[in-house]
Amino acid sequence: MKKMLRLSIVAAVLFSGISTYAIDGTEDSTLHVIKREGTTVTFGLNNTTKANLSIYDNEGNLIYSEKASGKNGILKTFSFEEFPSGTYFLEVEDSVKTTKHEITINGDITVLSSKAISSVYKTGFSGKNTNVAAR
């Protein structure tokens, strides 16, 4: 009986650890910061095979733009060593939506927020495989 109790406790701990492991905790977020070293940031875009990446300054001026693609997702590394300290924005546009992420540069430290500060879904997006409850 004690062996069975120990086994069930170990199983419960194992399953609770697996179920709480999530990158961000939300399925909607696709950008994940993988590595940050000084002014260099590496991030991944899960579930995205094609996207337009743009970097804007705090006044909305376009600084950088590129079309990125990947077979199972997109992995990008940006170096911000030439950027002056301040706040910038990374805009990721895919076939479904446009999300904006904040980039903060303070001297030799660059931080890219993995949580989007805004998400705008495209009007042509058909919400296939979504459930809506109506009363």
Side-chain angles (χ1 to χ4, degrees):
M1 188 66 168
K2 286 184 181 183
K3 197 175 208 180
M4 186 63 120
L5 181 61
R6 282 188 202 155
L7 184 60
S8 62
I9 290 174
V10 169
V13 170
L14 177 67
F15 288 127
S16 68
I18 289 172
S19 67
T20 59
Y21 178 75
I23 294 172
D24 188 63
T26 62
E27 191 176 315
D28 192 39
S29 179
T30 58
L31 185 139
H32 305 287
V33 178
I34 297 168
K35 187 176 182 184
R36 183 178 63 85
E37 288 183 7
T39 59
T40 303
V41 176
T42 301
F43 63 91
L45 297 168
N46 295 342
N47 303 323
T48 303
T49 57
K50 291 182 182 179
N52 293 324
L53 307 176
S54 303
I55 297 177
Y56 295 90
D57 66 7
N58 203 18
E59 297 173 0
N61 300 314
L62 179 65
I63 296 173
Y64 177 82
S65 180
E66 118 177 57
K67 292 183 181 198
S69 62
K71 186 177 179 180
N72 296 320
I74 298 171
L75 183 65
K76 292 301 295 179
T77 300
F78 283 123
S79 175
F80 296 97
E81 66 183 334
E82 299 294 324
F83 284 56
S85 293
T87 302
Y88 300 87
F89 300 96
L90 171 66
E91 190 174 274
V92 179
E93 179 184 357
D94 61 17
S95 61
V96 177
K97 65 182 175 179
T98 301
T99 57
K100 193 179 282 189
H101 300 267
E102 187 177 65
I103 303 166
T104 306
I105 301 173
N106 188 1
D108 292 338
I109 298 173
T110 301
V111 177
L112 170 62
S113 70
S114 57
K115 191 166 200 134
I117 58 172
S118 70
S119 291
V120 178
Y121 285 86
K122 295 184 177 184
T123 56
F125 174 66
S126 66
K128 289 183 180 178
N129 298 329
T130 58
N131 296 322
V132 177
R135 290 184 190 204

